[in-house]
C-alpha cells in the first residue's frame, strides 16, 4: 500500500472520529437542555407553597407576631398582681456605735448591743384590695393583647394578599409579553410583504420606514416588560427569603381566563379587622383612664416577715411579724395631670374608632365600585377587540389593494395591541380588587386567595 493511500485512510478515520465526537457532544447538549427544561417545569413554584413561605418569612408578619406575643406576655405579667410577692435580704452592718441586736424580750432587761450586726430577712407582701386599679390595668393589657393579635391576623392576610398579587402581576406581565412578542412577529411578516410590494413599486419607501419604527418601538416595550418582571420577582424572592432569585420560568402560571367578582359574606364594620383592633385600642385606653383615677384611692396590703439577727458572737436571734398596711394618697400633682392626660387619650381613641368605621365604609364602597367598573370594562374591551380585529383585517386588505395608507393600518394595529394589553391589565386588576375586599372584610385565607387569583368562585 502506497504512502498516499495510507494518508487517505488516516484522513477518513480522523474525519469519522471527529464526526462521531461532534454528534456525541450535540446529543449530550440536547439531553442536558431537555433535562434542564424538565427540572424547571417540575420545580415550578406554586402559589400555595409561596404563601406558606411568605407567612413564615415575610418581615411584616414576623414583626406583627412578635408584637402579639409580647402583648400576650405583658397581659400575663399583670395577672400576677394578686399573687404574694416574696423577698429575701441578707446584710452586714459595721457601725460607729453599738446598735440593738434584738428587741426587748422581757421587762427591765436591756437588749444586747454590738457594732457588728448580721441580718437576714424573708418578707411576703400581698396586695388584697386597691379599689380596682390592678383589675383595670389587667383589662387594659388584655385589650392591648387582643388588639395586637388582631393586627397579627391582619398582617397574615396582607402577606397572603401581597404574595397572591405578585403571582397575578407576573401572570399579567407574562400574558403581556406574549402579546408583545406576537405583535413583533406579525409586524415582521407585514414588513416582508411590504418589502415585496416596495420592490414591485406599489408602495413608497416611507411605508417601510414607518413599519421599521413600529418594530423598534415594540421591541423597546418588551424591554420595559422584562424590567417589570425582574422587579416583581426580586420583591417576591425577598418576601419568601429564598437563597436564589426566581425567574419567570420558576413561577407556575395561574389561570387568566375566568373573571369573577368576589362578594363578601359580612360587610358590617364590626367584622372588619381594622375596626376590631380600634375597638380593643379604645377599650384599653378607657381601662387605662380608670386605673389612673383609682390611683387616688387607698390600697390594702397584708405582709409577713421572718427576721434573723446576730452580733459578733454569731448567736442568732429570730422573730416574726405579720400585719396589714393601708396606703392613702394625700396629694400627688403628677398623678392629677396624668389622670387628665389618660382621660383625653381615651376620648381620642373613641373618636379614632369612629374614624376607622368611616374609613372602612368609604374604602369598601370605593373597592366595590372599582370592582363593578372593572367588570364592565372587561366586557366592553372584549367587544372592542372583536371589532378591531375585523377592522385590522379589512384595512390590511385595503392597503394591499392600494385603497388605504400604511399610517391607517399601523394606527389600527396599535389600537388593537393597546386594547389587548388593557384587557390583560383589567383582568389582573379585578383579581387584586377581590383580594383587597377580602382583606378589608377580614375573610382572606390561603385557600380563598388561590381561588381569587385564578378567577374562580370561592
Amino acid at each position: 500500500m502506497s504512502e498516499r493511500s495510507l494518508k487517505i485512510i488516516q484522513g477518513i478515520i480522523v474525519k469519522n472520529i471527529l464526526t462521531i465526537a461532534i454528534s456525541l457532544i450535540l446529543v449530550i447538549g440536547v439531553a442536558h437542555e431537555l433535562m434542564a427544561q424538565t427540572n424547571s417545569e417540575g420545580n415550578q413554584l406554586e402559589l400555595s407553597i409561596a404563601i406558606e413561605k411568605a407567612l413564615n418569612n415575610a418581615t411584616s408578619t414576623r414583626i406583627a407576631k412578635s408584637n402579639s406575643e409580647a402583648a400576650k406576655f405583658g397581659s400575663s405579667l399583670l395577672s400576677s398582681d394578686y399573687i404574694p410577692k416574696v423577698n429575701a435580704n441578707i446584710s452586714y452592718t459595721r457601725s460607729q456605735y453599738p446598735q440593738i441586736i434584738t428587741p426587748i424580750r422581757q421587762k427591765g432587761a436591756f437588749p444586747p448591743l454590738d457594732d457588728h450586726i448580721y441580718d437576714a430577712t424573708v418578707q411576703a407582701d400581698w396586695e388584697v384590695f386597691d379599689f380596682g386599679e390592678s383589675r383595670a390595668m389587667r383589662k387594659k393589657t388584655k385589650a392591648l393583647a387582643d388588639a395586637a393579635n388582631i393586627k397579627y391576623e391582619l398582617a397574615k392576610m396582607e402577606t397572603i394578599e401581597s404574595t397572591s398579587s405578585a403571582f397575578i402581576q407576573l401572570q399579567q406581565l407574562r400574558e403581556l409579553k406574549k402579546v408583545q412578542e406576537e405583535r413583533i412577529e406579525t409586524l415582521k411578516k407585514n414588513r416582508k410583504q411590504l418589502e415585496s410590494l416596495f420592490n414591485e413599486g406599489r408602495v413608497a419607501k416611507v411605508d417601510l420606514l414607518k413599519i421599521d419604527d413600529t418594530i423598534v418601538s415594540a421591541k423597546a416595550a418588551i424591554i420595559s416588560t422584562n424590567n417589570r418582571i425582574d422587579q416583581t420577582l426580586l420583591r417576591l424572592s425577598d418576601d419568601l427569603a429564598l437563597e436564589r432569585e426566581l425567574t419567570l420560568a420558576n413561577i407556575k402560571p395561574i389561570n387568566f381566563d375566568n373573571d369573577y367578582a368576589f362578594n363578601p359574606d359580612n360587610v358590617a364594620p364590626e367584622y372588619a379587622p381594622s375596626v376590631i383592633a380600634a375597638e380593643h385600642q379604645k377599650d384599653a385606653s378607657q381601662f387605662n383612664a380608670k386605673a389612673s383615677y383609682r390611683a387616688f384611692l387607698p390600697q390594702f396590703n397584708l405582709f409577713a416577715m421572718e427576721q434573723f439577727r446576730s452580733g459578733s458572737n454569731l448567736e442568732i436571734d429570730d422573730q416574726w411579724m405579720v400585719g396589714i398596711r393601708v396606703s392613702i394618697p394625700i396629694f400627688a400633682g403628677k398623678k392629677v395631670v396624668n389622670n387628665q392626660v389618660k382621660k383625653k387619650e381615651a376620648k381620642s381613641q373613641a373618636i379614632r374608632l369612629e374614624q376607622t368605621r368611616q374609613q372602612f365604609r368609604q374604602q369598601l364602597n370605593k373597592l366595590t365600585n372599582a370592582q363593578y367598573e372593572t367588570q364592565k370594562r372587561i366586557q366592553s374591551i372584549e367587544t372592542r377587540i372583536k371589532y378591531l380585529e375585523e377592522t385590522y383585517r379589512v384595512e390590511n386588505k385595503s392597503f394591499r389593494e392600494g385603497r388605504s395608507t400604511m399610517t391607517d393600518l399601523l394606527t389600527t394595529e396599535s389600537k388593537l395591541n393597546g386594547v389587548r394589553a388593557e384587557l390583560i391589565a383589567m383582568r389582573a386588576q379585578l383579581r387584586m380588587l377581590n383580594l383587597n375586599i377580602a382583606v378589608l372584610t377580614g375573610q382572606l385565607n390561603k385557600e380563598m386567595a388561590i381561588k381569587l387569583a385564578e378567577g374562580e368562585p370561592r
Side-chain angles (χ1 to χ4, degrees):
M1 186 178 291
S2 65
E3 183 178 350
R4 182 180 178 185
S5 299
L6 289 172
K7 288 183 177 180
I8 293 173
I9 292 171
Q10 289 175 351
I12 293 172
I13 294 172
V14 171
K15 183 177 180 181
N16 289 336
I17 292 173
L18 289 174
T19 302
I20 293 171
I22 292 172
S23 300
L24 287 173
I25 291 172
L26 290 174
V27 170
I28 292 172
V30 171
H32 179 74
E33 183 176 354
L34 289 174
M35 288 177 64
Q37 291 177 354
T38 302
N39 289 335
S40 175
E41 293 173 358
N43 294 328
Q44 284 185 319
L45 180 64
E46 296 182 1
L47 177 55
S48 60
I49 298 175
I51 289 174
E52 290 293 337
K53 287 181 177 290
L55 288 173
N56 292 328
N57 297 290
T59 53
S60 58
T61 307
R62 286 187 289 153
I63 290 172
K65 182 179 180 181
S66 297
N67 290 338
S68 176
E69 291 174 347
K72 183 178 179 180
F73 282 121
S75 177
S76 301
L77 180 64
L78 280 182
S79 296
S80 63
D81 277 352
Y82 285 147
I83 299 176
K85 300 175 181 63
V86 180
N87 297 312
N89 300 292
I90 300 176
S91 66
Y92 162 74
T93 305
R94 173 72 167 86
S95 61
Q96 182 179 3
Y97 300 103
Q99 303 292 323
I100 297 175
I101 299 175
T102 63
I104 298 174
R105 299 292 186 184
Q106 56 185 351
K107 294 182 179 180
F110 197 79
L113 303 175
D114 204 321
D115 54 0
H116 295 269
I117 298 177
Y118 301 90
D119 190 293
T121 304
V122 178
Q123 183 171 359
D125 195 289
W126 185 18
E127 183 181 287
V128 292
F129 189 68
D130 60 1
F131 288 93
E133 180 183 2
S134 297
R135 185 170 62 252
M137 290 301 294
R138 286 199 308 277
K139 289 182 178 180
K140 167 199 167 184
T141 55
K142 175 65 168 55
L144 289 176
D146 292 339
N149 186 59
I150 292 296
K151 290 179 181 179
Y152 173 46
E153 294 299 322
L154 181 58
K156 289 196 293 185
M157 284 189 280
E158 289 173 345
T159 298
I160 293 173
E161 176 199 19
S162 175
T163 306
S164 303
S165 295
F167 268 69
I168 292 170
Q169 290 169 5
L170 289 171
Q171 185 62 29
Q172 173 191 353
L173 295 171
R174 182 188 276 119
E175 299 273 346
L176 177 61
K177 185 177 179 180
K178 181 181 177 182
V179 169
Q180 292 171 336
E181 290 173 343
E182 290 175 350
R183 183 192 184 201
I184 290 176
E185 290 302 317
T186 301
L187 288 171
K188 286 181 178 179
K189 290 178 182 178
N190 290 341
R191 210 268 182 203
K192 287 182 181 180
Q193 296 175 2
L194 191 63
E195 191 173 5
S196 299
L197 295 175
F198 173 73
N199 293 333
E200 296 172 5
R202 296 171 58 186
V203 297
K205 178 71 174 178
V206 68
D207 292 324
L208 284 173
L209 295 175
K210 286 180 180 179
I211 199 168
D212 285 339
D213 177 68
T214 305
I215 291 173
V216 171
S217 177
K219 289 180 178 179
I222 288 185
I223 295 174
S224 176
T225 301
N226 286 332
N227 288 338
R228 292 171 62 190
I229 290 173
D230 290 341
Q231 292 172 5
T232 306
L233 287 170
L234 179 60
R235 186 174 68 251
L236 182 61
S237 299
D238 290 341
D239 287 342
L240 304 186
L242 298 178
E243 296 180 356
R244 60 183 179 84
E245 291 185 13
L246 292 166
T247 64
L248 193 58
N250 299 136
I251 305 298
K252 185 176 181 179
I254 59 177
N255 182 21
F256 241 45
D257 296 331
N258 302 323
D259 300 316
Y260 165 73
F262 171 68
N263 185 22
D265 295 331
N266 299 310
V267 296
E270 288 71 22
Y271 297 99
S274 58
V275 175
I276 296 173
E279 287 177 344
H280 289 311
Q281 293 278 6
K282 182 208 72 171
D283 293 342
S285 183
Q286 290 179 342
F287 286 128
N288 198 29
K290 290 179 180 179
S292 175
Y293 167 74
R294 284 169 170 77
F296 294 98
L297 302 176
Q299 292 182 345
F300 295 84
N301 291 63
L302 296 178
F303 66 89
M305 182 181 69
E306 180 76 15
Q307 185 179 39
F308 304 88
R309 289 171 65 90
S310 172
S312 302
N313 57 6
L314 300 181
E315 292 182 1
I316 299 176
D317 180 87
D318 66 294
Q319 64 171 333
W320 58 266
M321 289 182 287
V322 295
I324 183 170
R325 182 173 59 250
V326 180
S327 300
I328 304 175
I330 302 300
F331 178 77
K334 186 176 180 180
K335 286 186 177 181
V336 174
V337 175
N338 184 60
N339 182 46
Q340 294 299 318
V341 170
K342 300 305 179 185
K343 287 182 178 179
K344 297 297 183 182
E345 289 177 350
K347 184 177 181 180
S348 175
Q349 286 293 341
I351 297 173
R352 188 169 289 124
L353 171 60
E354 183 58 32
Q355 182 187 44
T356 305
R357 288 197 181 103
Q358 294 173 357
Q359 290 174 343
F360 168 80
R361 288 191 291 266
Q362 294 168 5
Q363 187 68 10
L364 182 62
N365 180 263
K366 178 180 178 181
L367 289 174
T368 51
N369 285 341
Q371 183 190 59
Y372 177 78
E373 179 185 351
T374 304
Q375 274 188 297
K376 294 302 180 183
R377 288 184 65 181
I378 289 174
Q379 296 171 4
S380 173
I381 291 169
E382 288 174 338
T383 303
R384 286 187 64 197
I385 288 176
K386 293 178 182 178
Y387 291 150
L388 285 171
E389 285 176 343
E390 180 63 19
T391 302
Y392 179 75
R393 187 188 65 78
V394 172
E395 286 199 354
N396 193 15
K397 181 180 178 182
S398 297
F399 173 75
R400 278 158 177 72
E401 294 173 352
R403 293 185 289 108
S404 63
T405 65
M406 174 56 66
T407 300
D408 295 333
L409 181 62
L410 291 178
T411 299
T412 302
E413 187 275 335
S414 178
K415 285 183 179 179
L416 177 58
N417 179 73
V419 171
R420 284 173 175 166
E422 186 180 2
L423 177 61
I424 296 170
M426 287 298 101
R427 283 179 166 159
Q429 180 172 307
L430 180 60
R431 285 160 170 76
M432 287 189 278
L433 285 169
N434 289 338
L435 291 171
N436 292 338
I437 293 173
V439 171
L440 184 66
T441 55
Q443 300 179 47
L444 188 66
N445 54 38
K446 184 180 76 171
E447 291 73 20
M448 180 185 290
I450 294 171
K451 289 188 175 182
L452 294 181
E454 297 276 358
E456 298 177 359
R458 59 192 174 96

